């Protein structure tokens, strides 16, 4: 059963997506559309590709169909063909695990998006949000023998949190889902070898905080390795850093303050994502 909290409302007035839409879906749409604009602002875009998805809460989907059996998850995904800077609350597409459009949208959905994201949303109860990027630094580290190495401030905050999944080609085949879930286990930061980065979390801001830390770790590693050998961080210090880092913890906001600050920047640039 999905018992995750609904998104914290953004601080400025919101535009109605649809007159009859559930308030929790409206909040999820606005938060997700804001995140797409944040990614665009940060340059975490790959033309019209890649995805950020959010699983809708029980209050929207109707919860469990019966005791011991939950309804098929529903989630929001970006319309295929639009740049992240064009995504709005109303043009996000609501789909099921098979990519079936549930909200009457005329937009297409990229199969490479819902196959991977659906597997994670369905297979990991805590995966309210899933983010995937093809940034230069992320793909570079994903292609590197040894992957992410424990040599900087950011990798030290991800000790024991990073999973790896071997490259199987373009992710359009549903049979890869179980293998992906096995590779991930319970680790929230994922390096898809030869492919890119992925993160999942209990809320969108928490997922963003994890992905941002992973992205920064890759950027610093790429810069460091271009200059020569790196100074390793010991296991003891890395364990301590991960324990002391509070940005992922729900008790300390789980990235909500950072995400809100970035949304305020987006609002100053172009608040039309709320439409």
């Amino acid at each position: 059963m999905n018992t995750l909290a609904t998104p914290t409302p953004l601080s400025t007035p919101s535009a109605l997506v649809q007159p009859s839409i559930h308030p929790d879906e409206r909040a999820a749409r606005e938060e997700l559309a804001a995140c797409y604009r944040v990614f665009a602002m940060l340059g975490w875009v790959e033309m019209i590709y890649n995805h950020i998805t959010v699983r809708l809460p029980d209050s929207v989907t109707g919860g469990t169909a019966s005791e011991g059996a939950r309804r098929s998850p529903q989630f929001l995904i970006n319309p295929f063909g639009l740049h992240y800077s064009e995504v709005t609350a109303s043009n996000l597409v609501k789909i099921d695990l098979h990519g079936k459009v549930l909200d009457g949208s005329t937009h297409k959905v990229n199969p490479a998006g819902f196959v991977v994201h659906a597997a994670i949303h369905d297979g990991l109860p805590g995966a309210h949000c899933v983010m995937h990027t093809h940034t230069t630094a992320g793909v570079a580290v994903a292609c590197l023998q040894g992957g992410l190495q424990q040599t900087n401030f950011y990798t030290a905050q991800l000790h024991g949190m990073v999973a790896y999944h071997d490259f199987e080609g373009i992710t359009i085949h549903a049979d890869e889902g179980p293998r992906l879930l096995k590779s991930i286990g319970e680790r929230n930061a994922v390096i898809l070898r030869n492919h890119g980065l992925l993160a999942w979390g209990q809320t969108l801001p928490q997922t963003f905080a994890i992905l941002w830390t992973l992205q920064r770790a890759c950027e610093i590693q790429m810069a460091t390795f271009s200059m020569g050998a790196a100074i390793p961080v010991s296991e003891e210090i890395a364990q301590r850093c991960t324990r002391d880092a509070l940005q992922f913890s729900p008790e300390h906001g789980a990235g909500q303050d950072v995400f809100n600050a970035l949304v305020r920047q987006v609002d100053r640039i172009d608040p039309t994502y709320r439409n």
Side-chain angles (χ1 to χ4, degrees):
M1 180 175 178
N2 178 14
T3 58
L4 299 171
T6 55
T8 301
L10 300 174
S11 57
T12 56
S14 61
L16 293 178
V17 178
Q18 298 170 9
S20 61
I21 198 169
H22 192 287
D24 293 342
E25 180 176 340
R26 183 182 302 122
R29 283 178 174 271
E30 289 188 8
E31 184 180 59
L32 181 55
C35 190
Y36 275 103
R37 298 299 185 94
V38 168
F39 273 43
M41 181 177 68
L42 295 175
W44 293 2
V45 292
E46 187 76 358
M47 303 296 284
I48 61 171
Y49 304 102
N50 296 164
H51 309 279
I52 314 164
T53 56
V54 165
R55 186 174 60 204
L56 290 169
D58 289 345
S59 57
V60 174
T61 63
T64 56
S66 61
E67 187 174 354
R70 62 185 174 86
R71 293 185 185 274
S72 176
Q74 300 175 6
F75 55 99
L76 299 172
I77 193 168
N78 54 316
F80 189 44
L82 298 188
H83 189 268
Y84 280 14
S85 62
E86 298 176 295
V87 173
T88 66
S90 61
N91 67 31
L92 287 164
V93 185
K94 179 163 65 172
I95 61 175
D96 64 13
L97 293 177
H98 307 289
K100 179 183 177 181
V101 175
L102 303 174
D103 57 3
S105 175
T106 58
H107 290 287
K108 296 179 180 179
V109 174
N110 186 354
F114 73 78
V115 168
V116 168
H117 289 241
I120 296 173
H121 283 300
D122 187 41
L124 299 175
H128 168 71
C129 180
V130 180
M131 300 177 176
H132 173 49
T133 59
H134 285 181
T135 61
T136 299
V139 177
V141 171
C143 295
L144 186 68
Q145 285 282 0
L148 189 66
Q149 298 178 35
Q150 204 166 268
T151 59
N152 66 61
F153 177 81
Y154 297 100
T155 57
Q157 296 177 59
L158 294 168
H159 184 271
M161 291 181 60
V162 181
Y164 290 85
H165 178 64
D166 288 339
F167 186 56
E168 297 189 24
I170 298 175
T171 52
I172 58 173
H173 302 289
D175 66 330
E176 185 177 352
R179 294 187 293 276
L180 174 64
L181 292 174
K182 183 177 180 180
S183 297
I184 291 173
E186 297 182 353
R187 298 188 174 195
N188 296 85
V190 184
I191 294 179
L192 303 172
R193 294 189 189 276
N194 309 101
H195 186 170
L197 305 181
L198 184 145
W200 61 275
Q202 297 180 40
T203 66
L204 185 151
Q206 182 190 52
T207 308
F208 177 83
I210 294 167
L211 183 63
W212 184 86
T213 305
L214 182 60
Q215 168 68 18
R216 286 293 288 152
C218 292
E219 290 172 346
I220 301 301
Q221 177 169 308
M222 188 168 71
T224 303
F225 284 19
S226 72
M227 297 185 294
I231 303 169
V233 175
S234 71
E235 287 288 302
E236 179 185 0
I237 295 298
Q239 289 175 2
R240 185 192 306 169
C241 285
T242 299
R243 184 175 64 248
D244 292 345
L246 303 175
Q247 72 269 35
F248 312 137
S249 170
E251 289 77 21
H252 296 272
Q256 187 72 58
D257 51 355
V258 172
F259 183 71
N260 286 348
L262 291 170
V263 172
R264 290 194 296 271
Q265 292 188 49
V266 169
D267 278 327
R268 287 193 289 270
I269 298 168
D270 179 7
T272 60
Y273 67 89
R274 297 179 182 274
N275 297 337

